Amino acid sequence: MHLTVHSKSDCPYCVRAKEALTKHQVPYTEIVHDDESERQSLYAALGTKFGRPLKTMPQIILKDGAQEHLIGGHDELMQSGLLQSWQALAR
């Protein structure tokens, strides 16, 4: 399993999500999208792929083998149970 965090530099929710992942020792790859047009393209592509409109950062994606799952943003990460599950797997 692998996490990708799509973020932007001045995003407090991105910082909080990354802090939570780091605190729970969840490895991730960060891709920073500071360019507005690049972010809009990302929202459109991910929205089409996952079947829902997106318009905020961060966007966190879990890849498990060939499957990709959209976790969503900071709030969805905190509610997903992923952090607790990851800690249980690491033990």
Side-chain angles (χ1 to χ4, degrees), residues 19-27 78 82-84 86-87 90:
E19 285 174 347
L21 292 168
T22 300
K23 177 182 176 184
H24 289 87
Q25 300 178 336
V26 179
M78 300 311 288
L82 176 73
L83 300 173
Q84 295 77 12
W86 201 280
Q87 281 190 318

Side-chain angles (χ1 to χ4, degrees), residues 23-59:
K23 177 182 176 184
H24 289 87
Q25 300 178 336
V26 179
Y28 64 91
T29 299
E30 180 182 19
I31 302 173
V32 178
H33 303 275
D34 285 339
D35 179 75
E36 178 67 24
S37 62
E38 181 183 336
R39 260 193 324 279
Q40 293 305 318
S41 294
L42 176 71
Y43 296 148
L46 293 179
T48 298
K49 183 174 191 171
F50 294 109
R52 66 181 195 188
L54 302 173
K55 59 182 180 178
T56 61
M57 287 288 176
Q59 291 300 321

Side-chain angles (χ1 to χ4, degrees), residues 50-81:
F50 294 109
R52 66 181 195 188
L54 302 173
K55 59 182 180 178
T56 61
M57 287 288 176
Q59 291 300 321
I60 303 167
I61 298 172
L62 172 66
K63 185 171 185 175
D64 186 7
Q67 297 284 321
E68 287 188 315
H69 308 278
L70 178 65
I71 302 295
H74 169 266
D75 292 346
E76 291 85 3
L77 173 66
M78 300 311 288
Q79 296 169 2
S80 71

